């Protein structure tokens, strides 16, 4: 195997594939990235046995072949090589090493045979549809912050992607919840997605997808079975196992009867929450919202450090209400709202509150209150 490749393209691809590789592995080959050179392309493959990422970059291939090298070490080398020089890769068959040359710098990396590199088996991906990369990005970005990190509730450790109906129209919906907050975003159901199984995409896969759609443009192809998902962009193919579990009936926690409505400037609200929460305790992070006839008072009272209050003008004409929330959760939701105004629908101090972006009804957020 012998080839020459642009540093920027190789470094970008390695950033993607190396993030799939776990830092600690009991199986040595899983620490490596598979390099396959042919047809003036270099294909890089990484796997952790639950997920596989394959990225293809243009290269000037002078000798076809394949080998594997330690992923993180290879990425660190490429990242630190000088800008402006092409990188030469050549496998030394006798020594079993990969020679990396760029200008005056040369490295020799130990290799493991490509024949031992595991492939992620894929069953019949019977559902297939395409989405603009920007729409998939929205589904991921506006829900992933609410994914649970509690390993015992493994069925909440991902985004629930499923086909449903909303206002009589077929929709593709993404939902994530950790039991304290819920994020739901929907998009018109793409052709080919009708009848698809509801699937839970694992947190690690979601994080990799977020990186891929950040760089992608045009259409993204999604293929599904009840146990696997494959996402294909122009240069990358990501295949992953799905979480084998049942996502809870989340619609039961979405409030239907919240009759108190507040509108507030989103940026001013987020800044005020951030300021007063400076004095909140690390354990609870609680902020009290007091609503009374066009005025919102945010307050924190921490016996150990002091107290803080701030007032904001709001559109609110209902009975006075006091309710507490986790400040971090309020800020997380605030960051998802793109228009200038946030809409809160409230009921009472003990019931969940619904938050929406006034100008984007495709997303909704539910937040459980705290005692304050």
């Amino acid at each position: 195997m012998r080839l020459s490749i642009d540093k920027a393209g190789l470094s970008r691809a390695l950033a993607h594939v190396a993030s799939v590789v776990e830092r600690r592995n009991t199986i040595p080959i899983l620490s490596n990235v598979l390099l396959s050179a042919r047809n003036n392309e270099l294909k890089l493959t990484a796997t952790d046995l639950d997920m596989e990422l394959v990225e293809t970059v243009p290269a000037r291939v002078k000798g076809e072949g394949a080998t594997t090298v330690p992923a993180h070490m290879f990425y660190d080398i490429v990242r630190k090589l000088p800008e402006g020089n092409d990188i030469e890769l050549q496998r030394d068959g006798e020594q079993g090493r990969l020679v990396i040359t760029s200008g005056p710098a040369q490295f020799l990396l130990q290799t493991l045979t490509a024949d031992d590199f595991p492939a992620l088996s894929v069953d019949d991906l019977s559902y297939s549809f395409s989405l603009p990369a920007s729409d998939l990005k929205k589904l991921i970005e506006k829900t992933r912050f609410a994914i649970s990190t509690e390993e015992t509730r493994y069925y909440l450790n991902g985004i629930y992607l499923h086909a449903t109906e909303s206002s009589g129209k077929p929709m593709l919906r993404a939902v994530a919840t950790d039991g304290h907050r819920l994020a739901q975003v929907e998009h018109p159901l793409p052709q080919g997605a009708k009848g698809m199984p509801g699937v839970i995409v694992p947190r690690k896969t979601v994080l990799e997808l977020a990186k891929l759609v950040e760089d992608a443009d045009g259409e993204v192809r999604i293929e599904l079975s009840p146990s696997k998902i494959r996402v294909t962009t122009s240069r990358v193919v990501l295949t992953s196992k799905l979480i084998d579990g049942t996502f809870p009936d989340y619609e039961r926690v979405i409030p239907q009867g919240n009759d108190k409505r507040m509108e507030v400037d989103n940026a001013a609200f987020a800044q005020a929450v951030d300021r007063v929460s400076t004095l909140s305790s690390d354990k609870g992070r609680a902020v009290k919202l007091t609503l009374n006839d066009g005025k919102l008072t945010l307050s924190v009272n921490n016996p150990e450090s002091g107290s803080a209050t701030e007032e904001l003008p709001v559109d609110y004409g209902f009975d006075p209400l006091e309710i507490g929330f986790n400040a971090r959760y309020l800020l997380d939701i605030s960051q998802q709202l793109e228009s200038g105004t946030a809409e809160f629908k409230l009921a009472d101090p003990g019931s969940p509150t619904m938050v929406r972006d006034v100008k984007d009804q495709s997303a909704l957020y539910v937040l459980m209150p705290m005692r304050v």
Side-chain angles (χ1 to χ4, degrees):
M1 185 182 88
R2 188 170 169 228
L3 62 97
S4 174
I5 191 167
D6 172 62
K7 181 203 165 175
L10 180 58
S11 183
R12 187 169 56 249
L14 279 169
H16 289 155
V17 297
S19 62
V20 174
V21 179
E22 298 292 343
R23 288 279 179 182
R24 295 180 180 178
N25 269 303
T26 54
I27 306 171
I29 195 76
L30 293 181
S31 296
N32 283 18
V33 56
L34 172 64
L35 306 175
S36 305
R38 58 178 49 85
N39 299 330
N40 279 331
E41 288 182 333
L42 177 66
K43 187 180 287 185
L44 302 95
T45 306
T47 185
D48 63 2
L49 297 183
D50 289 323
M51 174 168 53
E52 178 186 87
L53 193 146
V54 182
E55 182 153 357
T56 306
V57 286
R60 294 165 292 284
V61 176
K62 300 158 189 171
E64 296 187 347
T67 190
T68 80
V69 291
H72 293 291
M73 192 176 292
F74 186 33
Y75 177 42
D76 283 344
I77 291 169
V78 170
R79 198 164 45 84
K80 294 174 183 178
L81 287 172
E83 302 290 340
N85 291 332
D86 280 355
I87 298 172
E88 299 276 342
L89 302 178
Q90 182 171 355
R91 184 170 180 273
D92 181 343
E94 292 180 10
Q95 304 257 344
R97 294 184 295 188
L98 181 71
V99 183
I100 306 162
T101 309
S102 179
Q106 186 177 83
F107 296 83
L108 281 78
L109 272 185
Q110 292 292 340
T111 65
L112 293 173
T113 176
D115 294 337
D116 292 339
F117 196 83
L120 188 65
S121 63
V122 178
D123 43 12
D124 181 26
L125 301 170
S126 48
Y127 294 89
S128 177
F129 56 92
S130 294
L131 271 179
S134 57
D135 292 336
L136 180 58
K137 180 181 177 181
K138 180 180 177 180
L139 288 171
I140 293 170
E141 290 295 334
K142 290 188 178 295
T143 54
R144 67 176 178 145
F145 72 91
I147 293 174
S148 174
T149 56
E150 193 179 329
E151 297 301 330
T152 53
R153 304 172 79 187
Y154 65 94
Y155 47 85
L156 298 182
N157 295 163
I159 291 177
Y160 181 48
L161 196 64
H162 60 299
T164 186
E165 273 204 7
S166 180
S167 303
K169 296 178 181 176
M171 306 296 282
L172 178 66
R173 184 180 288 171
V175 181
T177 182
D178 60 7
H180 304 290
R181 63 231 171 122
L182 177 144
Q184 172 188 301
V185 182
E186 52 191 24
H187 179 274
L189 192 70
Q191 190 172 358
K194 186 178 180 182
M196 64 172 268
V199 298
I200 308 172
V201 184
R203 180 174 60 246
K204 184 177 177 182
T205 305
V206 168
L207 295 178
E208 294 308 318
L209 280 175
K211 295 174 195 171
L212 297 187
V213 294
E214 192 68 46
D215 297 336
D217 49 21
E219 295 276 309
V220 175
R221 187 155 194 79
I222 299 174
E223 298 166 272
L224 281 172
S225 75
S227 61
K228 299 264 176 50
I229 186 170
R230 175 180 284 163
V231 180
T232 305
T233 70
S234 57
R235 287 275 171 199
V236 183
V237 181
L238 175 66
T239 308
S240 173
K241 294 179 181 177
L242 297 165
I243 292 176
D244 183 12
T246 303
F247 201 77
D249 183 7
Y250 65 90
E251 293 189 79
R252 288 191 305 125
V253 304
I254 298 175
Q256 303 298 323
N258 287 16
D259 56 356
K260 298 179 179 66
R261 184 171 177 271
M262 174 189 80
E263 285 191 5
V264 61
D265 181 279
N266 184 48
F269 176 74
Q271 289 161 10
V273 169
D274 195 27
R275 278 191 289 269
V276 299
S277 68
T278 306
L279 291 186
S280 63
S281 68
D282 290 338
K283 184 179 179 183
R285 299 278 292 168
V287 172
K288 182 165 75 173
L289 278 59
T290 303
L291 282 158
N292 192 0
D293 195 25
K295 184 175 73 174
L296 167 65
T297 304
L298 299 102
S299 58
V300 167
N301 188 13
N302 185 348
E304 295 177 4
S305 56
S307 61
T309 62
E310 185 164 341
E311 290 185 359
L312 288 175
V314 294
D315 182 358
Y316 182 81
F318 301 88
D319 293 339
L321 176 68
E322 288 188 354
I323 189 168
F325 295 109
N326 181 301
R328 180 70 259 159
Y329 295 170
L330 284 173
L331 292 172
D332 283 344
I333 290 173
S334 212
Q335 287 172 7
Q336 311 308 318
L337 311 184
E338 294 176 10
S339 83
T341 308
E343 176 193 58
F344 286 69
K345 288 189 175 178
L346 309 108
D348 57 63
S351 299
T353 291
M354 188 159 68
V355 186
R356 282 187 186 268
D357 188 326
V358 164
K359 292 186 179 177
D360 182 9
Q361 295 297 300
S362 67
L364 72 83
Y365 305 95
V366 178
L367 194 51
M368 297 301 293
M370 293 179 73
R371 279 189 193 168
V372 286

